[in-house]
């Protein structure tokens, strides 16, 4: 296949879905590897606190790339972030981590963690491979706020991924799903960074 024919086929493939919005879902099988606690688990448990609006947050938008520029994805970043955050923080506490929307309904916790995605963008990068392959990309920032058992804010930070590449491909019948998988993996990486930071914070401050 000549390069010109290949590029025409790629253009036709994306044109076929150019007016579509791909609705994506949280998929636990897409998560990256959750890292264990760096040392012995911390005593107590964490509460992953989110509001209903945060849980229901769905990002809908176009890629930043020219390739696939007429397409959109709709991805439930609120749900994905909440689920992965619980999976991550339960590894560093001996009593795990619970989800809550109402703090008055939970007790006996060591810290409250409030995670949210503060930045998200994605692209189908065709220029990276001289037009022969497409590389799915995403850039995500995860902000967390940590409160102690008296609900006093003790730590705030934002973890940014920079541009992250997924596996390049020649043609895909479902390019949006590749973005979905990559988003799960990158959010997992950011949650791992957050859990490590919180672990050492609590260990050093003996909170």
């Amino acid at each position: 296949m000549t390069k010109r024919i290949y590029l025409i086929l790629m253009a036709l493939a994306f044109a076929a879905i150019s007016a579509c919005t791909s609705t994506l879902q949280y998929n636990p099988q897409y998560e990256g590897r959750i890292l264990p606690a760096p040392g012995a688990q911390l005593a107590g448990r964490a509460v992953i606190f989110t509001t209903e609006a945060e849980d229901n947050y769905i990002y809908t938008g176009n890629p930043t790339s020219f390739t696939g520029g007429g397409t959109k994805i709709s991805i439930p970043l609120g749900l994905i972030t909440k689920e992965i955050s619980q999976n991550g923080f339960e590894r560093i506490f001996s009593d795990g981590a619970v989800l809550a929307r109402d703090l008055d309904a939970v007790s006996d916790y060591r810290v409250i963690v409030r995670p949210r995605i503060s930045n998200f963008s994605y692209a189908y990068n065709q220029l990276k491979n001289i037009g022969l392959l497409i590389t799915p990309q995403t850039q995500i920032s995860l902000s967390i706020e940590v409160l102690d058992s008296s609900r006093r804010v003790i730590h705030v930070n934002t973890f940014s991924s920079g541009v992250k590449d997924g596996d390049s491909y020649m043609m895909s019948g479902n390019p949006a799903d590749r973005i979905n998988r990559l988003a799960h993996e990158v959010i997992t990486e950011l949650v791992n960074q957050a859990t490590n930071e919180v672990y050492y914070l609590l260990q050093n401050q003996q909170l």
Side-chain angles (χ1 to χ4, degrees):
M1 181 184 299
T2 67
K3 179 179 177 181
R4 181 175 180 181
I5 293 175
Y6 171 76
L7 293 177
I8 291 173
L9 290 175
M10 290 298 300
L12 290 174
F14 271 102
I17 57 172
S18 63
C20 296
T21 297
S22 297
T23 300
L24 307 175
Q25 306 293 332
Y26 164 65
N27 187 337
Q29 295 183 348
Y30 285 0
E31 291 182 19
R33 178 172 175 263
I34 296 289
L35 299 179
Q41 287 182 313
L42 300 168
R45 68 172 175 168
V47 174
I48 308 300
F49 174 68
T50 54
T51 65
E52 182 177 2
E54 289 168 340
D55 288 347
N56 294 333
Y57 170 61
I58 297 175
Y59 168 90
T60 300
N62 305 89
T64 58
S65 56
F66 175 77
T67 301
T71 68
K72 289 184 179 180
I73 64 169
S74 182
I75 180 170
L77 291 179
L79 176 60
I80 294 171
T81 302
K82 179 181 74 170
E83 295 293 339
I84 296 179
S85 294
Q86 183 188 25
N87 293 341
F89 277 92
E90 70 179 3
R91 300 294 182 94
I92 68 172
F93 289 94
S94 59
D95 295 327
V98 297
L99 300 173
R101 288 183 181 174
D102 180 6
L103 291 177
D104 293 330
V106 293
S107 60
D108 299 325
Y109 53 84
R110 185 165 178 180
V111 292
I112 301 163
V113 180
R114 298 203 60 184
R116 67 181 182 86
I117 297 300
S118 53
N119 180 63
F120 177 84
S121 63
Y122 72 100
Y124 303 104
N125 191 330
Q126 195 170 3
L127 299 177
K128 181 181 178 72
N129 303 288
I130 322 178
L132 299 179
L133 297 172
I134 294 175
T135 302
Q137 295 179 321
T138 190
Q139 187 166 358
I140 304 175
S141 294
L142 170 72
S143 297
I144 65 162
E145 184 178 66
V146 183
L147 298 81
D148 62 17
S149 57
S150 64
R151 303 186 188 180
R152 176 177 60 95
V153 176
I154 58 173
H155 188 63
V156 177
N157 200 5
T158 297
F159 303 86
S160 298
S161 68
V163 177
K164 291 285 189 175
D165 293 348
D167 294 333
S168 299
Y169 59 93
M170 291 189 66
M171 189 171 292
S172 172
N174 193 357
D177 192 59
R178 292 176 178 267
I179 297 296
N180 193 25
R181 180 185 291 274
L182 181 60
H184 280 68
E185 293 172 352
V186 173
I187 291 173
T188 303
E189 289 180 14
L190 297 176
V191 167
N192 282 332
Q193 293 176 34
T195 56
N196 274 1
E197 186 166 280
V198 171
Y199 178 89
Y200 288 115
L201 170 74
L202 298 180
Q203 188 181 61
N204 293 335
Q205 295 187 1
Q206 297 183 342
L207 294 173

mmCIF file of all heavy atoms in Angstrom, residues 22-49:
data_model
loop_
_atom_site.group_PDB
_atom_site.id
_atom_site.type_symbol
_atom_site.label_atom_id
_atom_site.label_comp_id
_atom_site.label_asym_id
_atom_site.label_seq_id
_atom_site.Cartn_x
_atom_site.Cartn_y
_atom_site.Cartn_z
ATOM 1 N N SER A 22 -18.545 9.642 20.635
ATOM 2 C CA SER A 22 -18.385 8.308 21.206
ATOM 3 C C SER A 22 -18.595 8.383 22.711
ATOM 4 O O SER A 22 -17.897 9.116 23.412
ATOM 5 C CB SER A 22 -16.991 7.759 20.902
ATOM 6 O OG SER A 22 -16.805 7.620 19.508
ATOM 7 N N THR A 23 -19.566 7.640 23.212
ATOM 8 C CA THR A 23 -19.864 7.623 24.641
ATOM 9 C C THR A 23 -19.066 6.503 25.289
ATOM 10 O O THR A 23 -19.243 5.328 24.968
ATOM 11 C CB THR A 23 -21.369 7.404 24.884
ATOM 12 O OG1 THR A 23 -22.096 8.474 24.258
ATOM 13 C CG2 THR A 23 -21.689 7.391 26.368
ATOM 14 N N LEU A 24 -18.185 6.877 26.205
ATOM 15 C CA LEU A 24 -17.282 5.932 26.840
ATOM 16 C C LEU A 24 -17.758 5.623 28.259
ATOM 17 O O LEU A 24 -18.570 6.342 28.826
ATOM 18 C CB LEU A 24 -15.860 6.500 26.854
ATOM 19 C CG LEU A 24 -15.339 6.958 25.485
ATOM 20 C CD1 LEU A 24 -13.983 7.621 25.619
ATOM 21 C CD2 LEU A 24 -15.280 5.783 24.514
ATOM 22 N N GLN A 25 -17.210 4.541 28.822
ATOM 23 C CA GLN A 25 -17.623 4.084 30.151
ATOM 24 C C GLN A 25 -16.401 3.819 31.022
ATOM 25 O O GLN A 25 -15.300 3.565 30.517
ATOM 26 C CB GLN A 25 -18.453 2.796 30.045
ATOM 27 C CG GLN A 25 -19.655 2.875 29.130
ATOM 28 C CD GLN A 25 -20.735 3.807 29.636
ATOM 29 O OE1 GLN A 25 -20.862 4.008 30.848
ATOM 30 N NE2 GLN A 25 -21.521 4.382 28.731
ATOM 31 N N TYR A 26 -16.626 3.854 32.342
ATOM 32 C CA TYR A 26 -15.592 3.390 33.264
ATOM 33 C C TYR A 26 -15.416 1.891 33.056
ATOM 34 O O TYR A 26 -16.379 1.133 32.998
ATOM 35 C CB TYR A 26 -15.997 3.681 34.710
ATOM 36 C CG TYR A 26 -15.181 2.912 35.729
ATOM 37 C CD1 TYR A 26 -13.813 3.140 35.868
ATOM 38 C CD2 TYR A 26 -15.784 1.947 36.531
ATOM 39 C CE1 TYR A 26 -13.061 2.429 36.790
ATOM 40 C CE2 TYR A 26 -15.036 1.237 37.465
ATOM 41 C CZ TYR A 26 -13.679 1.486 37.587
ATOM 42 O OH TYR A 26 -12.939 0.773 38.502
ATOM 43 N N ASN A 27 -14.157 1.462 32.948
ATOM 44 C CA ASN A 27 -13.853 0.047 32.742
ATOM 45 C C ASN A 27 -12.690 -0.329 33.665
ATOM 46 O O ASN A 27 -11.554 0.060 33.422
ATOM 47 C CB ASN A 27 -13.473 -0.213 31.284
ATOM 48 C CG ASN A 27 -13.311 -1.690 30.981
ATOM 49 O OD1 ASN A 27 -13.068 -2.496 31.865
ATOM 50 N ND2 ASN A 27 -13.455 -2.046 29.713
ATOM 51 N N PRO A 28 -12.961 -1.077 34.737
ATOM 52 C CA PRO A 28 -11.888 -1.430 35.678
ATOM 53 C C PRO A 28 -10.747 -2.195 35.028
ATOM 54 O O PRO A 28 -9.608 -2.149 35.514
ATOM 55 C CB PRO A 28 -12.606 -2.272 36.748
ATOM 56 C CG PRO A 28 -13.886 -2.708 36.116
ATOM 57 C CD PRO A 28 -14.263 -1.639 35.146
ATOM 58 N N GLN A 29 -11.026 -2.880 33.919
ATOM 59 C CA GLN A 29 -9.968 -3.620 33.236
ATOM 60 C C GLN A 29 -8.986 -2.692 32.530
ATOM 61 O O GLN A 29 -7.890 -3.130 32.141
ATOM 62 C CB GLN A 29 -10.573 -4.597 32.237
ATOM 63 C CG GLN A 29 -11.396 -5.696 32.888
ATOM 64 C CD GLN A 29 -11.930 -6.704 31.889
ATOM 65 O OE1 GLN A 29 -11.878 -6.477 30.680
ATOM 66 N NE2 GLN A 29 -12.453 -7.801 32.384
ATOM 67 N N TYR A 30 -9.351 -1.439 32.345
ATOM 68 C CA TYR A 30 -8.468 -0.474 31.695
ATOM 69 C C TYR A 30 -7.526 0.225 32.678
ATOM 70 O O TYR A 30 -6.614 0.938 32.257
ATOM 71 C CB TYR A 30 -9.288 0.591 30.962
ATOM 72 C CG TYR A 30 -9.908 0.122 29.659
ATOM 73 C CD1 TYR A 30 -9.728 -1.170 29.198
ATOM 74 C CD2 TYR A 30 -10.684 0.998 28.893
ATOM 75 C CE1 TYR A 30 -10.299 -1.594 28.010
ATOM 76 C CE2 TYR A 30 -11.259 0.579 27.700
ATOM 77 C CZ TYR A 30 -11.056 -0.710 27.266
ATOM 78 O OH TYR A 30 -11.629 -1.123 26.080
ATOM 79 N N GLU A 31 -7.760 0.064 33.951
ATOM 80 C CA GLU A 31 -6.908 0.723 34.937
ATOM 81 C C GLU A 31 -5.467 0.227 34.819
ATOM 82 O O GLU A 31 -5.213 -0.927 34.473
ATOM 83 C CB GLU A 31 -7.398 0.443 36.358
ATOM 84 C CG GLU A 31 -8.725 1.099 36.698
ATOM 85 C CD GLU A 31 -9.135 0.835 38.131
ATOM 86 O OE1 GLU A 31 -8.259 0.468 38.953
ATOM 87 O OE2 GLU A 31 -10.329 0.980 38.445
ATOM 88 N N GLY A 32 -4.542 1.118 35.141
ATOM 89 C CA GLY A 32 -3.150 0.701 35.216
ATOM 90 C C GLY A 32 -2.907 -0.048 36.521
ATOM 91 O O GLY A 32 -3.840 -0.345 37.276
ATOM 92 N N ARG A 33 -1.662 -0.335 36.800
ATOM 93 C CA ARG A 33 -1.311 -1.084 38.014
ATOM 94 C C ARG A 33 -1.337 -0.156 39.228
ATOM 95 O O ARG A 33 -0.644 0.858 39.264
ATOM 96 C CB ARG A 33 0.070 -1.713 37.865
ATOM 97 C CG ARG A 33 0.536 -2.469 39.110
ATOM 98 C CD ARG A 33 1.825 -3.224 38.844
ATOM 99 N NE ARG A 33 2.326 -3.846 40.059
ATOM 100 C CZ ARG A 33 3.266 -3.313 40.846
ATOM 101 N NH1 ARG A 33 3.819 -2.149 40.509
ATOM 102 N NH2 ARG A 33 3.662 -3.931 41.936
ATOM 103 N N ILE A 34 -2.164 -0.498 40.187
ATOM 104 C CA ILE A 34 -2.197 0.239 41.451
ATOM 105 C C ILE A 34 -1.018 -0.216 42.299
ATOM 106 O O ILE A 34 -0.845 -1.412 42.561
ATOM 107 C CB ILE A 34 -3.511 -0.021 42.220
ATOM 108 C CG1 ILE A 34 -4.716 0.505 41.421
ATOM 109 C CG2 ILE A 34 -3.453 0.617 43.594
ATOM 110 C CD1 ILE A 34 -4.819 2.007 41.348
ATOM 111 N N LEU A 35 -0.186 0.727 42.741
ATOM 112 C CA LEU A 35 0.990 0.377 43.513
ATOM 113 C C LEU A 35 0.627 0.146 44.979
ATOM 114 O O LEU A 35 -0.231 0.843 45.528
ATOM 115 C CB LEU A 35 2.040 1.484 43.415
ATOM 116 C CG LEU A 35 2.569 1.781 42.011
ATOM 117 C CD1 LEU A 35 3.583 2.920 42.053
ATOM 118 C CD2 LEU A 35 3.205 0.536 41.387
ATOM 119 N N PRO A 36 1.283 -0.811 45.634
ATOM 120 C CA PRO A 36 1.047 -1.021 47.058
ATOM 121 C C PRO A 36 1.667 0.108 47.878
ATOM 122 O O PRO A 36 2.389 0.956 47.346
ATOM 123 C CB PRO A 36 1.743 -2.355 47.334
ATOM 124 C CG PRO A 36 2.839 -2.411 46.309
ATOM 125 C CD PRO A 36 2.273 -1.744 45.077
ATOM 126 N N ALA A 37 1.396 0.115 49.181
ATOM 127 C CA ALA A 37 2.004 1.115 50.063
ATOM 128 C C ALA A 37 3.519 0.996 49.998
ATOM 129 O O ALA A 37 4.055 -0.118 49.883
ATOM 130 C CB ALA A 37 1.511 0.908 51.486
ATOM 131 N N PRO A 38 4.240 2.127 50.058
ATOM 132 C CA PRO A 38 5.704 2.074 49.991
ATOM 133 C C PRO A 38 6.325 1.305 51.161
ATOM 134 O O PRO A 38 7.437 0.798 51.058
ATOM 135 C CB PRO A 38 6.112 3.552 50.031
ATOM 136 C CG PRO A 38 4.894 4.307 49.627
ATOM 137 C CD PRO A 38 3.736 3.501 50.116
ATOM 138 N N GLY A 39 5.602 1.236 52.274
ATOM 139 C CA GLY A 39 6.061 0.508 53.458
ATOM 140 C C GLY A 39 4.866 -0.149 54.115
ATOM 141 O O GLY A 39 3.894 -0.502 53.444
ATOM 142 N N ALA A 40 4.937 -0.292 55.425
ATOM 143 C CA ALA A 40 3.810 -0.858 56.156
ATOM 144 C C ALA A 40 2.589 0.043 55.991
ATOM 145 O O ALA A 40 2.703 1.272 55.940
ATOM 146 C CB ALA A 40 4.168 -1.003 57.630
ATOM 147 N N GLN A 41 1.413 -0.556 55.892
ATOM 148 C CA GLN A 41 0.195 0.235 55.731
ATOM 149 C C GLN A 41 -0.009 1.164 56.929
ATOM 150 O O GLN A 41 0.343 0.829 58.061
ATOM 151 C CB GLN A 41 -1.016 -0.681 55.588
ATOM 152 C CG GLN A 41 -1.118 -1.386 54.249
ATOM 153 C CD GLN A 41 -2.364 -2.247 54.150
ATOM 154 O OE1 GLN A 41 -2.676 -3.005 55.052
ATOM 155 N NE2 GLN A 41 -3.080 -2.123 53.049
ATOM 156 N N LEU A 42 -0.596 2.309 56.641
ATOM 157 C CA LEU A 42 -0.920 3.264 57.699
ATOM 158 C C LEU A 42 -2.141 2.782 58.457
ATOM 159 O O LEU A 42 -3.048 2.174 57.891
ATOM 160 C CB LEU A 42 -1.195 4.637 57.091
ATOM 161 C CG LEU A 42 -0.052 5.280 56.295
ATOM 162 C CD1 LEU A 42 -0.578 6.482 55.518
ATOM 163 C CD2 LEU A 42 1.085 5.693 57.216
ATOM 164 N N ALA A 43 -2.178 3.084 59.749
ATOM 165 C CA ALA A 43 -3.339 2.711 60.547
ATOM 166 C C ALA A 43 -4.549 3.536 60.126
ATOM 167 O O ALA A 43 -4.422 4.679 59.682
ATOM 168 C CB ALA A 43 -3.043 2.933 62.028
ATOM 169 N N GLY A 44 -5.740 2.947 60.275
ATOM 170 C CA GLY A 44 -6.969 3.674 59.992
ATOM 171 C C GLY A 44 -7.454 3.492 58.563
ATOM 172 O O GLY A 44 -7.013 2.596 57.845
ATOM 173 N N ARG A 45 -8.362 4.374 58.179
ATOM 174 C CA ARG A 45 -8.913 4.308 56.828
ATOM 175 C C ARG A 45 -9.088 5.709 56.266
ATOM 176 O O ARG A 45 -9.083 6.703 56.994
ATOM 177 C CB ARG A 45 -10.246 3.568 56.814
ATOM 178 C CG ARG A 45 -11.389 4.286 57.507
ATOM 179 C CD ARG A 45 -12.699 3.554 57.266
ATOM 180 N NE ARG A 45 -13.795 4.160 58.010
ATOM 181 C CZ ARG A 45 -15.072 3.866 57.816
ATOM 182 N NH1 ARG A 45 -15.422 2.992 56.891
ATOM 183 N NH2 ARG A 45 -16.006 4.461 58.524
ATOM 184 N N ALA A 46 -9.249 5.758 54.954
ATOM 185 C CA ALA A 46 -9.464 7.025 54.254
ATOM 186 C C ALA A 46 -10.898 7.091 53.758
ATOM 187 O O ALA A 46 -11.521 6.061 53.484
ATOM 188 C CB ALA A 46 -8.495 7.168 53.087
ATOM 189 N N VAL A 47 -11.391 8.301 53.626
ATOM 190 C CA VAL A 47 -12.686 8.541 52.995
ATOM 191 C C VAL A 47 -12.430 9.283 51.689
ATOM 192 O O VAL A 47 -11.785 10.339 51.694
ATOM 193 C CB VAL A 47 -13.612 9.374 53.898
ATOM 194 C CG1 VAL A 47 -14.902 9.725 53.149
ATOM 195 C CG2 VAL A 47 -13.939 8.627 55.178
ATOM 196 N N ILE A 48 -12.900 8.725 50.603
ATOM 197 C CA ILE A 48 -12.835 9.418 49.315
ATOM 198 C C ILE A 48 -14.144 10.189 49.190
ATOM 199 O O ILE A 48 -15.204 9.599 48.951
ATOM 200 C CB ILE A 48 -12.664 8.431 48.144
ATOM 201 C CG1 ILE A 48 -11.484 7.484 48.390
ATOM 202 C CG2 ILE A 48 -12.488 9.191 46.832
ATOM 203 C CD1 ILE A 48 -10.150 8.177 48.562
ATOM 204 N N PHE A 49 -14.050 11.496 49.374
ATOM 205 C CA PHE A 49 -15.257 12.324 49.408
ATOM 206 C C PHE A 49 -15.451 13.034 48.075
ATOM 207 O O PHE A 49 -14.565 13.739 47.585
ATOM 208 C CB PHE A 49 -15.171 13.358 50.525
ATOM 209 C CG PHE A 49 -16.315 14.337 50.529
ATOM 210 C CD1 PHE A 49 -17.598 13.925 50.843
ATOM 211 C CD2 PHE A 49 -16.116 15.676 50.195
ATOM 212 C CE1 PHE A 49 -18.655 14.818 50.844
ATOM 213 C CE2 PHE A 49 -17.169 16.572 50.187
ATOM 214 C CZ PHE A 49 -18.442 16.140 50.516
#
